[in-house]
Amino acid sequence: MSAPQMGRKNGRRKPMAEINVVPYIDVTLVLLIIFMITTPMLQTGVEVELPQAESATVESEGDNLPVVLSINEQSQYFITVDDQEPEQIQREEVEARVMAVLNKKPNTQVLIGAYKGIEYGVVVTLMAGLKNSGVPSVGLMTKSSEQ
């Protein structure tokens, strides 16, 4: 028997019992990079608490009435605090006025009511501004279908 054939059985090679893990490591690192890039993009949304039913009403706790921000068809802003008459304010003043109320009464709800013809971006910009200034949650007002 010649030397090259001594380690072989019937001329066949012995199967390799090792797994090459380098391609698996490469795929894992690529997935890690993809998730690291996309995760911050998913977390930049504005959290909004919407009612679960069309006829749900907002319950106020005792004398803690909600702050209502309204936008009319001319894109004018109004604020209603403690059931007083709505007061017209400038867009730049909204966050400061709401935060002043929340500093006095921290559990006060903040609600936005906008005319149905107002652009979506105006309401979203207002909500984002309130969230960035520290308002914990913002609700949207709607009319029930019975009215």
Side-chain angles (χ1 to χ4, degrees), residues 7-45:
R8 297 183 184 169
K9 291 183 181 178
N10 301 333
R12 286 193 260 163
R13 297 177 75 186
K14 183 177 176 183
M16 202 168 97
E18 298 174 10
I19 297 175
N20 189 2
V21 294
V22 174
Y24 298 116
I25 294 172
D26 291 344
V27 169
T28 305
L29 290 175
V30 168
L31 288 174
L32 177 66
I33 291 170
I34 289 171
F35 287 132
M36 287 172 56
I37 292 171
T38 58
T39 300
M41 291 179 196
L42 297 175
Q43 296 176 350
T44 57

Side-chain angles (χ1 to χ4, degrees), residues 15-142:
M16 202 168 97
E18 298 174 10
I19 297 175
N20 189 2
V21 294
V22 174
Y24 298 116
I25 294 172
D26 291 344
V27 169
T28 305
L29 290 175
V30 168
L31 288 174
L32 177 66
I33 291 170
I34 289 171
F35 287 132
M36 287 172 56
I37 292 171
T38 58
T39 300
M41 291 179 196
L42 297 175
Q43 296 176 350
T44 57
V46 177
E47 292 180 24
V48 179
E49 292 184 27
L50 296 175
Q52 296 296 320
E54 288 183 30
S55 61
T57 58
V58 175
E59 298 294 330
S60 59
E61 301 169 0
D63 63 343
N64 204 9
L65 297 171
V67 173
V68 179
L69 298 168
S70 305
I71 307 172
N72 68 5
E73 46 284 321
Q74 289 86 28
S75 296
Q76 296 171 326
Y77 292 81
F78 295 88
I79 187 168
T80 306
V81 180
D82 292 332
D83 241 3
Q84 297 174 354
E85 287 295 314
E87 176 186 347
Q88 184 173 356
I89 60 173
Q90 296 299 316
R91 169 63 186 96
E92 299 80 26
E93 302 172 14
V94 171
E95 286 88 359
R97 290 286 300 272
V98 171
M99 289 310 296
V101 172
L102 289 178
N103 286 336
K104 293 177 188 173
K105 300 178 187 176
N107 294 330
T108 304
Q109 295 175 330
V110 178
L111 303 175
I112 298 175
Y115 176 71
K116 67 180 179 179
I118 292 293
E119 290 183 22
Y120 179 71
V122 173
V123 177
V124 170
T125 303
L126 177 60
M127 290 172 60
L130 290 169
K131 290 296 286 184
N132 290 338
S133 65
V135 176
S137 65
V138 178
L140 295 175
M141 296 176 57
T142 60

